[in-house]
Amino acid sequence: MKKIIVIGCPGSGKSTFSKVLHDITDIPLYHLDMLYWNANKTTVDKVVFLERLSNVLHKSEWIIDGNYASTMELRLRACDTVIFLDYPLDVCLAGIRERRGIPRADMPWTEVDEVDVEFIEFIKNYDSQSKPKVLELLNKYPNKDIYIFKSRSSADDYLKSLQQ
């Protein structure tokens, strides 16, 4: 386990899981949101984002947290391990609510405004629209170590097992 992607619905806790995994393994951690967003809530040019991501992918070890469907297959090809936090909708919506106003290492700004309605709709539609595409991609790469966690407690148990 040297090249790991952590994926899942927004609010599932990808960044928190990734930080704990980084603390346990000492593998460098990269957040896609930090590669993509500027502090003023604008995005970098796609070429810049892909260059930043490529620089990470060429390293010998990494944990990359985030979805970004447009680059998921690129990351899947490069990784050896996939962590998919496949939690229920209510858990993800609670995760979004709980992080409001809290500075985070995975975002270049602190979310204090009301949650974007489109973003909430994306989360509500994740299981029907995004998840099938993710599962299809995962099936395309059966040689990867793939861990799918259905609850925070099962993900926490996995992290604890790595500490032993």
Side-chain angles (χ1 to χ4, degrees), residues 11-49:
S12 61
K14 296 177 297 295
S15 298
T16 301
F17 180 97
S18 297
K19 172 71 170 97
V20 175
L21 184 61
H22 160 75
D23 290 344
I24 293 167
T25 64
D26 207 30
I27 296 173
L29 172 58
Y30 301 91
H31 304 285
L32 287 180
D33 284 337
M34 293 298 285
L35 301 177
Y36 185 73
W37 290 98
N38 294 308
N40 65 358
K41 297 186 182 183
T42 61
T43 60
V44 300
D45 187 78
K46 185 173 182 173
V47 173
V48 172
F49 173 62

Side-chain angles (χ1 to χ4, degrees), residues 20 30 53 57-59 62-63 75 82 107 113 120 127 131 133 136 138 142 150 162:
V20 175
Y30 301 91
L53 179 57
L57 293 177
H58 284 93
K59 296 179 184 296
W62 40 258
I63 299 166
R75 288 175 282 125
V82 177
M107 288 296 287
D113 300 328
I120 296 298
D127 277 357
K131 181 178 168 180
K133 295 173 189 171
E136 185 178 315
L138 293 180
K150 300 284 189 181
L162 295 177

Side-chain angles (χ1 to χ4, degrees), residues 33 39 55 63-64 70 80 92 99 113:
D33 284 337
N55 288 338
I63 299 166
I64 300 175
S70 65
D80 57 44
C92 297
R99 71 186 190 194
D113 300 328

Side-chain angles (χ1 to χ4, degrees), residues 43-111:
T43 60
V44 300
D45 187 78
K46 185 173 182 173
V47 173
V48 172
F49 173 62
L50 291 174
E51 182 179 313
R52 289 176 177 178
L53 179 57
S54 179
N55 288 338
V56 173
L57 293 177
H58 284 93
K59 296 179 184 296
S60 62
E61 292 186 321
W62 40 258
I63 299 166
I64 300 175
D65 112 76
N67 288 315
Y68 290 77
S70 65
T71 64
M72 190 170 298
E73 188 159 12
L74 179 68
R75 288 175 282 125
L76 264 169
R77 281 195 301 261
C79 77
D80 57 44
T81 305
V82 177
I83 308 290
F84 180 21
L85 303 181
D86 186 20
Y87 300 159
L89 174 61
D90 61 326
V91 171
C92 297
L93 290 173
I96 295 297
R97 281 191 307 275
E98 291 165 7
R99 71 186 190 194
R100 304 223 47 76
I102 299 172
R104 299 168 33 206
D106 62 307
M107 288 296 287
W109 69 81
T110 301
E111 297 175 50

